[in-house]
Amino acid sequence: MSFKNLPLLGTAEIIGALNLSPKQTAAAANLAHRVTQSAWRRRPPHKSGQTYEEFAAAVSACAWLTMFEVGALLILGRHHDARILTEASRSVHQAAHTGRRR
């Protein structure tokens, strides 16, 4: 388990808000890294030269925090809240990319 790419202040706020135990915190961090590793394995051809560390460093702080919080919610059994957060994150991400293309 690594907190290397997780923004510490935001991670601490989520840990406190959800009252996570050390075991739950580690599991949520692991989930965020597994999601990022999965994205790295499926990265587009123009990013094929990136190592995992380079790819992970390029992931936004907001995305890391969202993945961590979704993982924490899942671990807590709050699947509905995790789904809502995931859907909201996708909507914001898509809207941001659509706005840049105009």
Side-chain angles (χ1 to χ4, degrees):
M1 185 262 322
S2 170
F3 287 93
K4 179 179 178 183
N5 299 103
L6 287 165
L8 293 180
L9 183 58
T11 302
E13 289 176 8
I14 293 168
I15 292 167
L18 296 177
N19 196 29
L20 299 176
S21 70
K23 186 176 180 179
Q24 292 167 326
T25 300
N30 281 334
L31 189 131
H33 280 281
R34 284 196 322 261
V35 169
T36 305
Q37 287 169 342
S38 177
W40 175 71
R41 285 190 299 273
R42 293 180 284 136
R43 66 196 180 280
H46 71 279
K47 292 187 177 185
S48 64
Q50 282 184 320
T51 65
Y52 171 73
E53 291 76 22
E54 291 169 330
F55 183 85
V59 173
S60 72
C62 179
W64 276 109
L65 290 174
T66 300
M67 290 185 289
F68 179 78
E69 186 169 4
V70 166
L73 290 168
L74 290 171
I75 289 158
L76 294 171
R78 295 172 55 183
H79 299 271
H80 180 72
D81 293 335
R83 187 173 56 249
I84 289 171
L85 179 57
T86 301
E87 290 171 5
S89 177
R90 283 184 183 143
S91 294
V92 168
H93 183 73
Q94 289 170 351
H97 282 292
T98 302
R100 283 190 221 151
R101 292 184 191 144
R102 290 182 183 176

